[in-house]
Amino acid sequence: MARGRALSAWLVLCAFLCVPSFLFPGHRTRPVSSRIALNAGFEKDEDRVDYMESPFGQAIGWLAKALSESPLNDAKISFAKMQAGDYDEEAAQKKLEGYIGGDKVVMFSFSKCPFCIKAKKELNDMGVPFTALDLDQMDQEGKELRAELAKKTKRTSMPNIFIAGEGIGGCNDGPGLMTLKKEGKLEPMLKEAGAI
């Protein structure tokens, strides 16, 4: 049953990638390379946030959450490790822990990810100082950190947010920044951490 749901989720994702761009203003279709980027074509961060808040973006968020709770998650974690290649895992783990402990709020992200941009905007709008590490801009170190994050949190998607060293998930999942805000738990958590 779970395998069938995971396969259905993957097929839905593939179908979404083929939807004509005229359904999504501001999005230009580009040839798909070996690296799939759902946000390719957006030129401004505001467009990425609008996309993330659209029904399509919400569906992608739901799909990402469903995949993270499926048996495919182990494959995603293995893939992140494979992308990192051979590296000193102990040194990368120490570096990761140093980043996590280095600030009250730390976000591991991708520079063009609409969910990451939304989370950064939310923290900025709340006046929360935070450290953002855009792993896609950090070359090999970013790949190593992502692999270690996957081992630590069982998540490969970004953003991956920590408050006072505690992982809270992403933008909408794990429970996630926006979920915590809607539940009234985010502000008390940030105050307890001394971040606001």
Side-chain angles (χ1 to χ4, degrees):
M1 181 83 170
R3 180 181 263 173
R5 282 193 300 245
L7 179 59
S8 295
W10 180 249
L11 291 173
V12 168
L13 174 63
C14 291
F16 279 144
L17 292 174
C18 298
V19 174
S21 63
F22 67 85
L23 294 176
F24 305 100
H27 181 8
R28 293 188 319 244
T29 303
R30 294 186 180 177
V32 177
S33 67
S34 60
R35 182 173 173 200
I36 296 172
L38 296 175
N39 58 356
F42 294 115
E43 295 185 16
K44 296 184 275 181
D45 287 349
E46 296 83 28
D47 293 336
R48 290 181 179 88
V49 171
D50 290 344
Y51 165 80
M52 196 267 326
E53 292 175 345
S54 74
F56 181 72
Q58 294 296 311
I60 294 297
W62 172 86
L63 183 60
K65 183 177 180 187
L67 285 172
S68 71
E69 296 170 354
S70 79
L72 288 176
N73 196 51
D74 290 337
K76 289 172 49 184
I77 292 169
S78 295
F79 185 69
K81 184 157 174 39
M82 183 185 75
Q83 284 181 314
D86 291 330
Y87 65 95
D88 183 341
E89 292 182 29
E90 187 177 322
Q93 186 178 29
K94 284 182 183 176
K95 194 175 285 191
L96 176 68
E97 294 302 329
Y99 284 129
I100 291 170
D103 203 347
K104 294 169 184 159
V105 180
V106 179
M107 181 186 312
F108 296 91
S109 64
F110 291 142
S111 60
K112 303 296 182 187
C113 163
F115 296 95
C116 300
I117 292 166
K118 173 66 176 170
K120 289 174 186 174
K121 182 180 181 320
E122 190 62 41
L123 290 172
N124 281 328
D125 289 351
M126 292 177 72
V128 177
F130 64 95
T131 298
L133 295 128
D134 288 334
L135 300 182
D136 60 329
Q137 303 296 309
M138 297 174 70
D139 300 319
Q140 180 60 27
E141 180 184 3
K143 292 174 185 172
E144 294 171 9
L145 289 171
R146 184 177 186 211
E148 291 302 313
L149 272 170
K151 288 192 320 191
K152 179 180 181 68
T153 65
K154 305 295 182 218
R155 303 178 74 250
T156 59
S157 61
M158 296 296 142
N160 204 328
I161 305 168
F162 292 81
I163 298 175
E166 179 186 342
I168 64 160
C171 186
N172 299 320
D173 63 320
L177 186 76
M178 300 309 294
T179 304
L180 290 170
K181 182 177 180 184
K182 286 178 189 171
E183 293 174 351
K185 297 177 183 175
L186 180 60
E187 193 169 323
M189 185 182 284
L190 291 167
K191 283 181 180 176
E192 186 177 324
I196 55 173

